[in-house]
């Protein structure tokens, strides 16, 4: 660990992204405090982390001793006051601006003055989230990708108010947890989702129009572009509810019809065909 400014990291929310973030940060040697809204969610998050760590042993990426050490560095809590000595807190709750603003307001009061506050939002305006704090220079986006332990990229999203020192600390932190960092602007979709969303949506429009099958679209992208998954498989993997939310948020912000969710996507979300998480999306996972 070569980043001297950060020793202890708080993670708010221990769902799919929060648990992955807590896992990689603890594996890199940091002390981690994980906060959830209730004990059931905390327990679920704990199980997600333990399950993923166990998988790393099966994949030959970690030893039993590494796992024991990682687990020992993670503390689970329901009390935000346990963030008082964290140097960095990463929020990874659901994509809801009001909820994020409420959490950032509370974090601003619970965390020490020098602490950096980061959000893992995939599409919401980070300066809007930062605006409820009294430390806008120490707020930024740390956008991780799913599955967090496997994906090498970390988008560091700098707002117009993010300070230079905060940015430098975030870069060093990202590298210290084994990620390659890119600096992205605080615009809808940052870099990756700005490119990924039109790609998803165009693939869905192609299915909707009946001009190509989902299998052929995915096969074409996998073999023609060397992507590990085609866009429809990947949309199922990300979650069609999430993809639809990001698309709507980007369309609302930019009034650009390229980002508007296709009717088919909205209908699938209404039918709770969210993809892998509900076992049905463009494909069946039953
Ligand atoms: N945890 C840890 N490591 C994992 C993992 C997991 N859950 N799943 C896969 N891996 C690792 C494996 O250990 C393996 O590593 P190695 O090559 O060093 O041995 C590598 O990933 C490949 O794994 P497998 O061979 O077991 O499985 P696949 O080849 O099927 O890969 C995948 C699975 C990594 C998910 C691959 O299909 C992939 O990269 N898909 C695309 C994922 C992607 O694009 N994610 C970004 C989504 S967009 C996003 O998150 C942004 C949000 O804002 C919308």
């Amino acid at each position: 660990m070569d980043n001297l400014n950060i020793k202890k990291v708080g993670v708010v929310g221990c769902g799919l992204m929060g648990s992955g973030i807590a896992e990689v940060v603890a594996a890199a040697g940091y002390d981690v405090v994980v906060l959830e809204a209730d004990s059931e969610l905390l327990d679920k998050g704990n199980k997600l982390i333990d399950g993923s760590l166990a998988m790393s042993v099966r994949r030959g990426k970690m030893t039993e001793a590494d796992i024991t050490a990682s687990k020992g560095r993670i503390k689970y809590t329901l009390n935000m006051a346990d963030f008082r000595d964290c140097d960095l807190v990463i929020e990874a709750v659901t994509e809801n601006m009001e909820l994020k603003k409420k959490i950032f307001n509370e974090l601003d009061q619970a965390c020490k003055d020098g602490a950096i506050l980061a959000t893992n939002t995939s599409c919401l305006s980070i300066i809007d989230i930062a605006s409820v704090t009294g430390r806008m220079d120490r707020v930024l986006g740390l956008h991780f990708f799913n599955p967090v332990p496997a994906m090498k990229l970390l988008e560091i999203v700098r707002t117009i108010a993010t300070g230079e020192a905060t940015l430098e600390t975030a870069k060093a932190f990202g590298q210290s947890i084994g990620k390659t960092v890119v600096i992205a602007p605080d615009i809808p979709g940052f870099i990756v989702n700005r490119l990924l969303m039109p790609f998803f949506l165009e693939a869905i429009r192609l299915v909707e129009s009946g001009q190509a099958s989902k299998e052929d679209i995915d096969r074409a992208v996998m073999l023609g572009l060397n992507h590990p998954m085609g866009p429809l498989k990947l949309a199922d993997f990300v979650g069609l509810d999430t993809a639809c939310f990001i698309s709507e948020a980007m369309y609302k912000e930019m009034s650009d019809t390229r980002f508007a969710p296709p009717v088919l996507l909205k209908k699938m979300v209404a039918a709770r065909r969210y993809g892998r998480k509900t076992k049905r999306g463009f494909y069946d996972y039953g």
Side-chain angles (χ1 to χ4, degrees), residues 9-262:
V9 178
V11 177
V12 188
C14 200
L16 189 65
M17 296 307 285
S19 63
I21 294 168
E23 178 191 337
V24 297
V25 173
Y30 292 95
D31 287 326
V32 177
V33 183
V34 173
L35 175 75
E36 256 299 359
D38 62 48
S39 48
E40 202 177 311
L41 289 171
L42 202 59
D43 192 43
K44 245 182 172 172
N46 190 335
K47 289 200 174 97
L48 278 176
I49 293 176
D50 288 357
S52 181
L53 283 169
M55 180 80 85
S56 298
V57 174
R58 289 201 290 279
R59 290 178 196 272
K61 297 271 169 80
M62 283 178 127
T63 64
E64 288 289 352
D66 293 334
I67 288 205
T68 307
S70 277
K71 285 185 184 173
R73 283 191 283 269
I74 304 175
K75 178 180 171 181
Y76 295 88
T77 186
L78 297 173
N79 186 357
M80 196 182 274
D82 290 330
F83 284 164
R84 72 180 80 76
D85 53 353
C86 284
D87 307 293
L88 165 69
V89 175
I90 305 169
E91 165 275 315
V93 303
T94 48
E95 295 283 26
N96 176 320
M97 179 59 92
E98 287 323 303
L99 177 63
K100 286 189 194 276
K101 281 186 170 172
K102 178 176 175 285
I103 288 171
F104 269 72
N105 184 268
E106 289 167 5
L107 286 173
D108 194 33
Q109 289 160 46
C111 296
K112 64 186 178 188
D113 272 354
I116 294 174
L117 306 182
T119 172
N120 179 55
T121 182
S122 50
C123 61
L124 297 175
S125 161
I126 294 170
I127 191 61
D128 280 32
I129 298 171
S131 70
V132 302
T133 73
R135 59 174 92 195
M136 280 195 262
D137 59 319
R138 271 161 286 134
V139 178
L140 81 180
L142 289 181
H143 184 212
F144 290 81
F145 295 84
N146 178 26
V148 180
M151 301 298 286
K152 303 259 184 298
L153 183 68
L154 174 63
E155 270 187 314
I156 298 185
V157 189
R158 166 193 220 168
T159 76
I160 54 169
T162 305
E164 208 54 49
T166 303
L167 193 68
E168 289 308 314
T169 304
K171 279 195 215 167
F173 171 73
Q175 284 156 3
S176 75
I177 59 170
K179 301 298 179 196
T180 298
V181 302
V182 293
I183 308 302
D186 184 22
I187 55 170
F190 317 130
I191 295 174
V192 172
N193 282 336
R194 183 70 172 242
L195 300 171
L196 182 63
M197 281 303 133
F199 176 55
F200 273 178
L201 302 177
E202 205 53 33
I204 296 169
R205 286 186 201 109
L206 209 45
V207 173
E208 194 172 43
S209 71
Q211 294 183 87
S213 71
K214 57 188 184 223
E215 292 85 2
D216 277 350
I217 294 168
D218 280 349
R219 208 172 287 130
V221 168
M222 285 178 75
L223 302 181
L225 297 173
N226 238 2
H227 288 204
M229 287 173 168
L232 301 160
K233 227 345 151 21
L234 183 57
D236 274 357
F237 184 73
V238 164
L240 299 186
D241 52 337
T242 304
C244 191
F245 180 87
I246 297 173
S247 154
E248 269 164 350
M250 292 180 75
Y251 178 48
K252 187 167 161 228
E253 195 84 8
M254 295 190 288
S255 304
D256 180 339
T257 50
R258 279 180 307 160
F259 297 96

